[in-house]
Amino acid sequence: ARYVNCSAGGVALASGVALAGSAGAAATVIDCGGAGRHLAVGGGASVQIDGLTLTGGAAPHEGNISRDGGCVLVEGPGGSLVVADSVFSNCSADAWGGAIAV
């Protein structure tokens, strides 16, 4: 499956969630096409990513949106991210963490 289009700030996650591609990273792709980041992990949230490809994420300087973490931004105290068997490609940030910023 291939999913496209992301919002500039990404999907905001405020609680724990596990995202898994049952067919693996080669078959499960989330492509932001440079339109924004994939995920913004809030303080206290625990996120697991397994078997996904995240591509085309971007965190450009745009208003009050953080310029860190082109694919995933982990912000706030206690936020955590665990990644297994996944691919991050063609992601960029105007500041820190082209793919992931913590």
Side-chain angles (χ1 to χ4, degrees):
R2 185 174 193 92
Y3 304 95
V4 296
N5 298 324
C6 298
S7 66
V11 175
L13 302 173
S15 61
V17 66
L19 304 171
S22 61
T28 310
V29 178
I30 302 172
D31 186 351
C32 281
R37 80 171 51 90
H38 297 79
L39 305 170
V41 180
S46 175
V47 174
Q48 297 177 357
I49 297 173
D50 188 3
L52 298 176
T53 293
L54 303 180
T55 188
H61 184 71
E62 203 173 277
N64 64 350
I65 296 170
S66 174
R67 299 179 298 155
D68 301 327
C71 282
V72 180
L73 174 62
V74 181
E75 55 187 347
S80 67
L81 176 68
V82 175
V83 179
D85 301 321
S86 296
V87 175
F88 296 85
S89 67
N90 299 317
C91 298
S92 64
D94 281 354
W96 304 105
I100 300 171
V102 179

